Amino acid sequence: SQQGEEDPQALSIQEGENATMNCSYKTSINNLQWYRQNSGRGLVHLILIRSNEREKHSGRLRVTLDTSKKSSSLLITASRAADTASYFCATDGRGATNKLIFGTGTLLAVQP
Amino acid sequence: DTGVSQNPRHKITKRGQNVTFRCDPISEHNRLYWYRQTLGQGPEFLTYFQNEAQLEKSRLLSDRFSAERPKGSFSTLEIQRTEQGDSAMYLCASSFSTSSYEQYFGPGTRLTVT
C-alpha cells in the first residue's frame, strides 16, 4: 500500500518557472527521499533528507521536511524541458530493511 | 560499473504461463529489492534480500511469486500461472548496507499478460 499522497497529481509549467510538489506520509520515518522517473524507465535518486533536518539543497533542488505535519515539499527552480518526468517521494518506514514506501507521484511537464 | 540491469525489458505472455525475470545489481551492493509498479502509481515493495537471504516479503507476493538470490549476486523473480492482474512494471533496486539509504534502480521489466 502507498505511504501517502502527493500533490498535485499533475503540474504543467513553462521553462524557467519554478515547480513545487508536496508529499504527505502516514508513519514515523528515519528519512525521506525524492526520486525522478522518466516515462517507462527506472527511478533515479534525487535527494535525501533526514528526520532531524528541516531543509536541504542540491543544485536546483530544495527539499523541506515538516515531521509534525508529516509532509515534505520538493522545489525545482529554473525548470528545464529535461525536468519533465514523474516525481515520487519515498519514506523508509523505520524498518530494518530500508525498504522504500512510495507516494503516488506528481507528473511534471515543462513546456519549452 | 554500469548500474543495475534487468532482463528482459519487456515480456508479453499468455494467462497461465510462467515467467522469470532477472536482476543484476551493482556488484558491491549486498541489499537487493524488488518492487512492482502499475500505471499511474508509485512502486510497491515486493521483497528484500540481504546477500542471499530473503529477509522480508510483502503480502503482495502471493504463492505464485517466488524470488531467489543464489550466492548473493543476481536475483530472479518468477511468477507462476500468470494472471492479467500481474501486468505491471517490475523494478529491481540495490544498495550497500553501510552507505546511505539511497537505492539504485534498474530500468525495469514491463510484463503484459494477455
Side-chain angles (χ1 to χ4, degrees):
Chain A
S1 60
Q2 303 291 322
Q3 163 70 291
E5 300 292 322
E6 290 183 59
D7 167 57
Q9 287 189 329
L11 178 61
S12 181
I13 59 174
Q14 295 295 125
E15 218 168 15
E17 294 180 337
N18 296 341
T20 299
M21 290 158 265
N22 303 296
C23 162
S24 62
Y25 58 91
K26 298 175 182 172
T27 61
S28 298
I29 61 172
N30 288 319
N31 61 73
L32 183 144
Q33 303 179 50
W34 285 88
Y35 284 80
R36 183 186 74 213
Q37 185 178 36
N38 290 89
S39 179
R41 307 296 297 275
L43 287 84
V44 175
H45 178 265
L46 295 176
I47 192 167
L48 177 149
I49 185 166
R50 299 188 186 279
S51 59
N52 61 355
E53 297 175 311
R54 291 296 167 258
E55 186 171 315
K56 199 162 182 181
H57 297 253
S58 177
R60 295 185 294 114
L61 305 179
R62 171 179 168 252
V63 171
T64 62
L65 180 64
D66 186 336
T67 52
S68 67
K69 295 181 179 178
K70 290 187 168 59
S71 67
S72 174
S73 68
L74 171 68
L75 168 68
I76 303 174
T77 60
S79 63
R80 305 165 182 167
D83 294 329
T84 295
S86 291
Y87 291 81
F88 295 92
C89 68
T91 58
D92 68 297
R94 299 184 80 97
T97 64
N98 293 338
K99 68 183 179 188
L100 295 176
I101 304 171
F102 286 88
T104 52
T106 293
L107 178 60
L108 172 65
V110 181
Q111 310 297 333
Chain B
D1 185 70
T2 57
V4 179
S5 62
Q6 291 186 247
N7 288 288
R9 294 291 306 278
H10 303 274
K11 179 71 177 178
I12 300 173
T13 191
K14 294 186 177 178
R15 188 163 52 98
Q17 297 293 307
N18 299 345
V19 294
T20 300
F21 310 140
R22 176 178 170 127
C23 170
D24 287 90
I26 294 172
S27 57
E28 62 268 26
H29 286 184
N30 60 350
R31 295 187 170 209
L32 187 146
Y33 305 81
W34 284 98
Y35 295 86
R36 182 172 70 186
Q37 184 179 26
T38 53
L39 200 61
Q41 298 295 314
E44 293 181 292
F45 170 77
L46 290 179
T47 191
Y48 160 71
F49 289 86
Q50 181 158 328
N51 299 312
E52 66 276 7
Q54 186 175 21
L55 298 184
E56 186 172 348
K57 291 195 294 186
S58 162
R59 283 171 290 181
L60 292 175
L61 216 64
S62 75
D63 291 345
R64 297 183 297 105
F65 288 70
S66 63
E68 294 182 340
R69 193 184 181 195
K71 302 179 183 177
S73 55
F74 71 92
S75 176
T76 58
L77 177 68
E78 181 183 16
I79 309 174
Q80 295 182 328
R81 305 181 303 282
T82 52
E83 302 173 355
Q84 287 188 320
D86 297 331
S87 295
M89 175 80 90
Y90 290 83
L91 294 162
C92 175
S94 68
S95 70
F96 189 56
S97 61
T98 60
S99 72
S100 71
Y101 294 95
E102 173 182 350
Q103 293 184 17
Y104 294 79
F105 281 81
T109 294
R110 181 167 295 285
L111 173 66
T112 302
V113 182
T114 62

